[in-house]
Amino acid sequence: PSPRDDGPPKEILDVRDNSKDGEYWEALSHVIPERTLKLWDALGAALLEYHKVLTRRAELLSEATVLQKQNS
């Protein structure tokens, strides 16, 4: 068997240095500024409210159509 069959010699294998992983992920969690996150939260809440308004409006339009047909 050739040396290739056994893969690289054990002493050549690099062991990944994960000592700074925590630092990396902590820094990554602050990529988007807090102010932007708050803005997105506010916009999300406003869009949910707007969706409720549009849903109610659609219901009222359906009711109005039924009443118009009954009155005809």
Side-chain angles (χ1 to χ4, degrees):
S2 69
R4 287 184 178 182
D5 293 341
D6 297 326
K10 300 284 185 208
E11 63 272 2
I12 294 179
L13 290 176
D14 288 330
V15 176
R16 187 176 167 282
D17 177 14
N18 61 1
S19 63
K20 297 193 178 197
D21 283 4
E23 220 175 280
Y24 170 80
W25 290 110
E26 178 62 28
L28 200 58
S29 71
H30 300 294
V31 168
I32 300 173
E34 187 69 25
R35 184 175 175 196
T36 302
L37 292 174
K38 287 182 181 179
L39 175 65
W40 288 349
D41 286 342
L43 288 172
L47 285 172
L48 286 174
E49 287 301 314
Y50 186 52
H51 180 264
K52 287 179 191 175
V53 168
L54 291 177
T55 302
R56 180 65 181 138
R57 183 176 178 195
E59 291 169 359
L60 291 172
L61 285 172
S62 294
E63 287 177 33
T65 303
V66 169
L67 291 173
Q68 284 175 344
K69 285 181 182 176
Q70 286 177 359
N71 287 336
S72 299

